[in-house]
Amino acid sequence: MDGLLLLSLTVLVPVLFGIISYLVPGYNLKKYAVILCALVLSVASLLILYNGPQNLTVESINIGMSLPVSTIIIALDFLLLLVFLYFGYKDREYKVLGLAVLQLALLAYLELFVAGGEEAGITFVIDDLSIVMCLIVSLIGSLILLYSIGYMKGDKNVSSFFLIMMVFLGDMNALIFANDLTWLFFFWEGTTLCSFLLIRHYRDEPSIKASDRALWMNLLGGIALVCGIILIEMMYNTRFLSELFTAQATMPGALSFLPAAAIILPFAFMAVGAFTKSALMPFNSWLTGAMVAPTPVSALLHSSTMVNAGVYMLIRIAPLILIFGGGLLSTVITIVGGFSFMFCALLALSQTDSKRILAYSTISYLGLIAMCTGINTWLAITAAVALLVFHAVSKGLLFLCVGEITHIIGSRDIEQMQGLIAKAPLVTVITVIGLISLMAPPFGIFVGKWLAFQSASTFTQIGWSLVAIFFIIFGSIFSVFYYSRWAGKLLATKPAETAPPAHHDWYMEIPLIILAAGIFVSVALTTIFFTQLIDLPDIYGQEPGGLVVGEVLRSAFGGFSPLMFLILFIVILLIPILIIRVPKTSLTPTYSCGTGKEPDIGGGYFETLIGESKLLKYLNPIGILLLAILFLAVLL
Amino acid sequence: MSLIELSRKKSPWVIHVGTGGCNGCDLEILACLTPRFDASRFGVMSTGNPKHADIMLVVGPVTLKYKEIITNLYNQMPDPKVVIAVGTCASTGGIYQGCYGHCGSLDKVVPVDVYIPGCNVRPEAVIDGLVLGLDILNEKERKILEEKKKSKGAA
Amino acid sequence: MITLDDPIIWKIAFPAVMLILAPIIGGLLIGIDRKLTARLQNRAGPPIVQPFYDVLKLFGKEDKIVNKTYLVFAVAYLLTVVLSTGLLLFHYDLLVITFMFGLSFIFLVLAGYSVRSQFSYVGSNRELLQMLTYEPILLLVVFLDRLVTGSFQIDAIWSFTEPAKTEPLLYTLPLALLALFLILPIQLRKSPYDIAEAHQEIAQGPVTEYTGKFLGLVTIAHFYEVFFVLWFIGLYFVQNWAVRIGLMALAFLFSIVIDNVTARLRVDQMIRQVYIIGLLLIIVNLAYILITGKWIA
């Protein structure tokens, strides 16, 4: 099938449907536009998967006359920055204003003074990584769209909500496929704008504040990215990602005062851009602040779009860092990622708000992915891609579950969710599946952690390997802590509790069921996924397919079969579920020293020890210090 | 004797409840577990949890406040179970007999299987009572099974 | 004709038999433990088969149930422990075994959380903190094993066919073994780290609400755990059966003595002690194998 057609199906069609749904009156018509968009998007992503990798060049659009796309995108880019300026001015947010002006200046410098952008090249690349990303964005994104039909019913600003959601998905797809760095930058800033608008959806004080914070932090990342692009064009004389692999690095005269190792400086800038997008440690506050947005937005930000763009970028530049000899830079990325992984898990431990727990756990898993890209061996990159997929499925599911639970009990506090299984069995069971899939073997995250552990123990420098393993171990243990506490709370019922007839909203529940099934399917298909869908650049010397022996994942150090363990896991839980019968006559209340009163139980969050207020004042400076070390590692 | 009946005799787990006496007998029960008297050679284990216990040792007269608690504890013990009234107060009410705020003896609240008199009871007496209770455990289980059979036959 | 040297015996028959014998061995060990503790305190003590009397008795008792969920998790706990013991006996990937053993703890914790009882709630919280304490040490020890043997596979420690070829782990990782001894009381639920099932404070922690046969199942799972933990320690000298069993016996005696001479600690004391001593031991051992060059990249 024509690649161009598929590309426009995944990029332009969501935008088109967004505009349609914005224009048509009435919730019902909008609903159909959204459903249609979700369908088209899923089918298109599957077609892209079926079609396989290819390269595309888009130079101009013909609508009566021929318009060069490059020019349009540059014009839109400046327009975008003007929008940011407008919002900065409107909210009296001077950080946004300043950063937008700076970005404007840098962009103008890039377009006007930096040469090397004239020759034509491949503008969009569909390779295995972007296919995987496209599947995540399109499939999970579509499910979230369907879910938001149920969730947003009765909301005031629902038209603009659907419009932005769909534009966001299209923009994200474009970002994934873009090969031209200046275009990529535009789509990058596009996700910033969309997330900004979605976070301030409710237009009240806290959401405006949170959105402004998200905006300035992401603008900072944008600046880092544009600096990276300028330096790439100056040093490598190309603006295409795919050509960087074969590019000749030369230090331009203007930068000759830098040491020779500074040739990887642009990648350091791009990594910082990726850190802001993925909300890694010093930038974590925008993502936790973004929890004021409606839950589908959080689901979209956390699982399929926004934050994934950051780690996607890291995976993209990881082989380049390897080629141009940035071993030290990789090590620092490992440490930044591992630091976020461990300490965000620790921060999540002290939270009672379910969405904040999920937000911190997202940052922590993104840290793990970033860490894998820092370890930068074929095993580690495989782990990173696998974690990206498995995390997206589980986290998308959990956010949607929290949204539904909030609808049922009117609270996001996990202390209030005690015994929820009696009130809403379906959503609770699905939530527990989601929670277990994030902490226990043999689910996807475990496969990823297993790979990460293996790759960390192949590290050539044994000292850093120990640090990486330290981070992995403690991060995993902390996440087990908060997830199992939450899962247990959901399941705690009184002896004789019976369920009232539950109200079903199928728009919200069908995506949940599909995603929950997706968790099992994705684990069962791990081996196929590894052989077929992960394609590493040649520099790594090995393909993930080499891991797979029959149904077993086997590295040089050991192996296990995800499918077999999945079956065992299901059997272990199904046997008791099917066999155990609870006769009414043997029900007794819990032991409460014979008082017969139901005690208030809860707590154990250690706020005084590891609460946000305690930890963040140390963690943020350390994060900033790590960023400084990142640049020092390149320059010294 | 089946294996389970044998092991039931060999492994009496005990919960010990003080209902508001002078705690003299309490201390004697604890003395049973010490090296000198060593009740654990009969497999006795103090669990502190009615759900795990086979034998409930009750010390002291039952105060009105404790009446509900002791019935709750009794109901939470899984069958077969034995209740032993330890000391004069639990057996008869003792010096609290007829006093306000008391139910008198323990058997007015829950069915009692073994009475161990004494003020205080001697540890030897407690051990003697425990061993008496062991046979009652199996008898009770047999009775329960027979009743189940009967009710099944009736149905 | 199958002889004793036949790999089939050692690869399939022996582990299968051991898996069946594991609960019996574990139960007997607990019985010996109780007898020995009694003798140390100058008591007669219960008979050695007392743990089996206890379990059998529990199977003859009535069930008093709070809800179905926690029963499901109890059975899942037992099955996971059996599975991880099986994986250990059948020489699977050590990393996976460690995580599966951790999963059994997770099931126990979930079981404790899923009843509304203050005792099992507190018990589960403490169980998690204990897991937080011992799991990193265990994983780091596994990592050291991997550094020395070059693989996470148990087979790399000792191949069935040529046992004499490899050096015992004890010679290269003596301090890692000490770190394992350090977390032994946590895994065996013994003093000074029997914090989760501190029966004088919080009834029986996560297993407070079980009665009858489900309590029996949890006890059987505990038998398996004892076997698992000691067998794991046995991996440090697989070359010679006498030394191997001696090592396991030493670990067991060590845990009994420590159990008898120490009082229960608070959670924070446990975390501090285990992390500081354990990490120190591991780092020193790591330095040793790095300096002597006895590691494989």
Side-chain angles (χ1 to χ4, degrees):
Chain A
M1 204 181 227
D2 186 19
L4 215 55
L5 177 66
L6 287 177
L7 199 67
S8 41
L9 271 180
T10 49
V11 177
L12 293 178
V13 165
V15 179
L16 202 68
F17 273 110
I19 294 168
I20 292 174
S21 83
Y22 185 74
L23 293 178
V24 294
Y27 198 73
N28 265 334
L29 284 177
K30 284 187 205 303
K31 193 165 87 183
Y32 292 125
V34 173
I35 295 173
L36 212 58
C37 172
L39 276 179
V40 171
L41 203 52
S42 330
V43 171
S45 67
L46 289 175
L47 281 175
I48 282 186
L49 170 68
Y50 175 74
N51 230 23
Q54 55 181 306
N55 299 333
L56 297 168
T57 308
V58 184
E59 275 173 0
S60 56
I61 305 174
N62 283 313
I63 6 167
M65 53 178 180
S66 171
L67 292 170
V69 181
S70 260
T71 324
I72 299 177
I73 283 187
I74 289 166
L76 284 174
D77 226 345
F78 283 105
L79 194 66
L80 202 63
L81 286 172
L82 289 178
V83 173
F84 290 148
L85 276 179
Y86 162 72
F87 277 112
Y89 175 72
K90 196 178 144 204
D91 292 348
R92 301 283 182 279
E93 184 63 50
Y94 298 107
K95 272 184 227 148
V96 171
L97 269 180
L99 290 170
V101 169
L102 190 59
Q103 213 179 78
L104 212 55
L106 284 168
L107 193 65
Y109 178 76
L110 172 67
E111 298 301 341
L112 297 177
F113 299 106
V114 181
E118 299 312 315
E119 82 278 17
I122 304 159
T123 50
F124 289 104
V125 167
I126 304 180
D127 62 358
D128 276 338
L129 177 59
S130 43
I131 290 175
V132 170
M133 285 295 289
C134 174
L135 284 173
I136 296 175
V137 173
S138 306
L139 293 179
I140 299 175
S142 304
L143 289 173
I144 294 171
L145 274 182
L146 282 183
Y147 174 89
S148 50
I149 293 174
Y151 191 89
M152 298 306 286
K153 208 179 215 163
D155 191 272
K156 270 185 295 184
N157 299 320
V158 79
S159 325
S160 58
F161 175 82
F162 282 133
L163 171 66
I164 303 167
M165 288 281 272
M166 286 187 244
V167 171
F168 202 163
L169 289 179
D171 186 75
M172 190 65 197
N173 272 331
L175 166 66
I176 290 158
F177 293 129
N179 188 39
D180 184 327
L181 282 170
T182 46
W183 296 21
L184 188 142
F185 176 70
F186 166 69
F187 298 125
W188 183 273
E189 289 303 281
T191 61
T192 304
L193 177 68
C194 290
S195 64
F196 167 72
L197 290 173
L198 285 172
I199 293 169
R200 64 194 280 140
H201 175 79
Y202 287 129
R203 303 280 193 284
D204 51 5
E205 182 71 25
S207 45
I208 286 178
K209 231 179 189 157
S211 66
D212 281 336
R213 188 189 293 146
L215 187 56
W216 77 256
M217 284 197 175
N218 277 306
L219 281 177
L220 202 65
I223 288 174
L225 185 63
V226 78
C227 286
I229 294 171
I230 291 174
L231 286 172
I232 281 182
E233 292 207 7
M234 284 165 80
M235 290 175 170
Y236 298 93
N237 207 20
T238 177
R239 60 189 169 98
F240 297 103
L241 264 175
S242 58
E243 282 174 24
L244 271 173
F245 282 97
T246 52
Q248 282 297 318
T250 46
M251 192 63 88
L255 295 173
S256 55
F257 60 90
L258 291 174
I263 206 75
I264 47 161
L265 187 62
F267 302 117
F269 274 112
M270 288 170 94
V272 173
F275 291 164
T276 56
K277 222 25 35 147
S278 292
L280 295 188
M281 205 53 185
F283 308 109
N284 56 350
S285 60
W286 80 258
L287 195 62
T288 45
M291 291 299 108
V292 293
T295 305
V297 175
S298 311
L300 201 66
L301 289 184
H302 282 258
S303 65
S304 55
T305 56
M306 194 70 174
V307 294
N308 278 0
V311 284
Y312 163 77
M313 179 65 92
L314 283 175
I315 297 175
R316 273 272 182 250
I317 62 173
L320 297 173
I321 295 177
L322 203 61
I323 290 174
F324 296 110
L328 212 51
L329 177 63
S330 281
T331 308
V332 182
I333 292 176
T334 311
I335 290 171
V336 173
F339 180 73
S340 294
F341 179 43
M342 177 173 157
F343 283 100
C344 284
L346 190 62
L347 280 168
L349 218 153
S350 69
Q351 301 299 315
T352 56
D353 182 341
S354 53
K355 270 176 97 173
R356 281 187 92 83
I357 293 178
L358 289 181
Y360 274 122
S361 94
T362 302
I363 303 171
S364 115
Y365 283 118
L366 290 171
L368 180 60
I369 299 172
M371 185 172 153
C372 289
T373 65
I375 294 172
N376 215 354
T377 57
W378 68 281
L379 217 55
I381 299 292
T382 312
V385 180
L387 279 169
L388 195 62
V389 175
F390 294 130
H391 175 257
V393 179
S394 298
K395 203 42 81 60
L397 173 68
L398 278 178
F399 267 106
L400 298 187
C401 287
V402 166
E404 171 129 22
I405 291 172
T406 317
H407 265 207
I408 294 169
I409 63 170
S411 167
R412 299 188 326 215
D413 196 332
I414 61 171
E415 295 269 317
Q416 306 290 322
M417 292 182 191
Q418 200 154 52
L420 193 71
I421 193 164
K423 281 184 208 151
L426 179 69
V427 68
T428 311
V429 167
I430 292 177
T431 315
V432 172
I433 290 174
L435 290 171
I436 287 181
S437 77
L438 278 172
M439 61 180 179
F443 289 99
I445 295 290
F446 169 72
V447 176
K449 272 182 197 160
W450 182 78
L451 281 172
F453 204 97
Q454 306 261 334
S455 55
S457 53
T458 53
F459 233 152
T460 41
Q461 297 156 295
I462 196 75
W464 294 121
S465 154
L466 193 69
V467 172
I469 278 185
F470 185 82
F471 282 139
I472 294 179
I473 289 174
F474 280 91
S476 327
I477 298 289
F478 292 147
S479 24
V480 165
F481 201 118
Y482 57 84
Y483 281 133
S484 49
R485 180 169 60 200
W486 184 1
K489 275 226 156 74
L490 290 169
L491 296 171
T493 47
K494 289 178 207 165
E497 230 169 347
T498 47
H503 165 73
H504 288 290
D505 184 340
W506 292 112
Y507 281 116
M508 285 162 79
E509 276 167 9
I510 285 176
L512 290 186
I513 296 169
I514 295 176
L515 276 174
I519 286 178
F520 292 102
V521 173
S522 64
V523 180
L525 296 182
T526 311
T527 47
I528 297 172
F529 170 55
F530 278 13
T531 43
Q532 305 289 329
L533 269 180
I534 307 181
D535 181 35
L536 300 178
D538 298 331
I539 176 94
Y540 292 113
Q542 239 169 325
E543 285 294 316
L547 271 175
V548 180
V549 185
E551 270 306 320
V552 181
L553 291 182
R554 180 166 293 284
S555 76
F557 309 119
F560 83 111
S561 158
L563 187 63
M564 185 186 97
F565 275 89
L566 183 71
I567 293 170
L568 279 174
F569 186 88
I570 293 172
V571 166
I572 280 175
L573 278 177
L574 264 188
I575 287 178
I577 286 174
L578 292 179
I579 288 179
I580 294 174
R581 292 268 174 278
V582 179
K584 277 258 155 52
T585 47
S586 58
L587 286 177
T588 35
T590 53
Y591 173 52
S592 52
C593 302
T595 53
K597 287 181 189 129
E598 195 195 303
D600 282 332
I601 51 176
Y605 296 96
F606 313 107
E607 268 126 341
T608 48
L609 264 179
I610 50 165
E612 275 178 325
S613 54
K614 284 267 170 193
L615 280 188
L616 279 180
K617 69 180 173 211
Y618 301 113
L619 294 181
N620 280 335
I622 296 176
I624 293 167
L625 193 70
L626 281 175
L627 285 189
I629 293 174
L630 184 80
F631 285 108
L632 283 181
V634 175
L635 292 178
L636 296 180
Chain B
M1 203 175 352
S2 79
L3 207 56
I4 285 186
E5 285 190 353
L6 171 73
S7 34
R8 195 175 283 133
K9 277 186 82 166
K10 291 280 190 183
S11 146
W13 288 3
V14 165
I15 175 175
H16 121 240
V17 187
T19 57
C22 70
N23 281 55
C25 303
D26 253 340
L27 294 177
E28 299 299 337
I29 289 175
L30 293 180
C32 285
L33 303 171
T34 57
R36 187 169 182 84
F37 301 101
D38 191 24
S40 85
R41 71 201 133 115
F42 305 110
V44 172
M45 196 164 81
S46 173
T47 62
N49 177 355
K51 296 200 165 186
H52 295 187
D54 308 289
I55 295 178
M56 179 152 71
L57 295 173
V58 185
V59 178
V62 183
T63 55
L64 286 182
K65 244 199 151 150
Y66 226 91
K67 191 176 163 188
E68 189 198 341
I69 292 176
I70 205 114
T71 15
N72 278 339
L73 289 178
Y74 179 77
N75 289 335
Q76 282 191 341
M77 283 172 69
D79 282 326
K81 56 193 167 190
V82 160
V83 179
I84 300 181
V86 180
T88 311
C89 299
S91 307
T92 65
I95 58 164
Y96 299 98
Q97 186 75 267
C99 189
Y100 69 93
H102 277 269
C103 317
S105 60
L106 177 66
D107 48 14
K108 291 184 182 146
V109 185
V110 290
V112 177
D113 301 286
V114 181
Y115 298 89
I116 309 176
C119 180
N120 318 347
V121 291
R122 296 192 61 78
E124 293 93 332
V126 175
I127 291 174
D128 200 28
L130 272 172
V131 173
L132 267 177
L134 294 182
D135 287 322
I136 302 177
L137 274 174
N138 274 331
E139 262 171 47
K140 277 197 159 181
E141 179 67 12
R142 269 180 227 132
K143 240 182 232 168
I144 290 167
L145 288 178
E146 256 170 44
E147 262 172 39
K148 259 191 197 163
K149 232 183 229 170
K150 256 186 210 167
S151 64
K152 245 185 203 168
Chain C
M1 182 68 195
I2 297 176
T3 59
L4 205 61
D5 299 330
D6 202 311
I8 288 183
I9 284 190
W10 291 105
K11 267 190 176 162
I12 295 162
F14 174 69
V17 171
M18 284 312 276
L19 190 60
I20 295 163
L21 287 182
I24 298 168
I25 296 171
L28 278 178
L29 284 175
I30 293 176
I32 292 171
D33 173 12
R34 285 179 70 173
K35 190 82 186 172
L36 217 61
T37 306
R39 292 311 299 154
L40 282 174
Q41 295 169 353
N42 207 7
R43 291 189 279 125
I48 288 174
V49 289
Q50 183 64 35
F52 301 108
Y53 286 143
D54 290 350
V55 169
L56 282 172
K57 173 205 77 177
L58 287 170
F59 277 94
K61 291 211 73 159
E62 188 200 2
D63 287 326
K64 296 262 187 196
I65 293 166
V66 179
N67 60 29
K68 185 174 168 178
T69 327
Y70 82 125
L71 302 181
V72 171
F73 282 128
V75 180
Y77 166 56
L78 171 66
L79 292 177
T80 324
V81 174
V82 175
L83 177 65
S84 43
T85 314
L87 291 176
L88 184 65
L89 284 168
F90 282 98
H91 287 207
Y92 211 72
D93 185 314
L94 209 52
L95 195 57
V96 177
I97 293 170
T98 317
F99 276 113
M100 285 314 275
F101 193 59
L103 180 64
S104 73
F105 264 72
I106 295 179
F107 278 136
L108 183 64
V109 165
L110 283 175
Y113 275 134
S114 51
V115 279
R116 283 198 194 180
S117 151
Q118 69 266 56
F119 297 112
S120 49
Y121 185 86
V122 174
S124 285
N125 254 346
R126 292 182 178 191
E127 192 81 51
L128 272 177
L129 283 168
Q130 287 195 315
M131 193 174 160
L132 194 82
T133 316
Y134 90 85
E135 193 86 7
I137 304 288
L138 192 60
L139 283 171
L140 281 172
V141 169
V142 169
F143 169 63
L144 286 187
D145 287 355
R146 127 90 188 91
L147 271 187
V148 171
T149 60
S151 167
F152 285 115
Q153 298 280 341
I154 295 180
D155 281 337
I157 298 174
W158 171 52
S159 74
F160 286 103
T161 44
E162 300 160 284
K165 237 175 119 181
T166 45
E167 201 183 7
L169 280 182
L170 184 64
Y171 295 168
T172 41
L173 299 173
L175 297 177
L177 183 67
L178 277 188
L180 278 184
F181 274 35
L182 184 70
I183 59 174
L184 204 60
I186 303 180
Q187 292 176 313
L188 297 178
R189 301 189 166 78
K190 279 176 168 301
S191 204
Y193 304 140
D194 56 343
I195 294 166
E197 298 188 355
H199 67 265
Q200 296 92 336
E201 304 171 41
I202 50 168
Q204 276 76 17
V207 296
T208 303
E209 296 300 328
Y210 291 101
T211 56
K213 49 182 173 288
F214 291 100
L215 185 58
L217 291 178
V218 172
T219 318
I220 292 176
H222 187 50
F223 295 171
Y224 270 105
E225 267 178 356
V226 172
F227 179 81
F228 176 91
V229 170
L230 292 179
W231 197 260
F232 197 94
I233 282 173
L235 291 178
Y236 274 75
F237 210 111
V238 280
Q239 279 71 9
N240 184 331
W241 272 106
V243 183
R244 187 178 187 178
I245 290 169
L247 202 60
M248 293 189 225
L250 179 72
F252 186 61
L253 280 177
F254 172 80
S255 76
I256 293 174
V257 171
I258 291 292
D259 184 31
N260 274 295
V261 298
T262 52
R264 184 178 311 124
L265 295 174
R266 286 196 315 269
V267 176
D268 58 324
Q269 288 170 322
M270 171 185 74
I271 292 180
R272 205 170 300 139
Q273 281 183 6
V274 174
Y275 277 1
I276 291 175
I277 301 174
L279 289 179
L280 213 65
L281 286 171
I282 283 170
I283 287 169
V284 172
N285 207 149
L286 183 73
Y288 168 69
I289 56 173
L290 288 185
I291 290 167
T292 51
K294 279 182 181 160
W295 61 287
I296 301 164

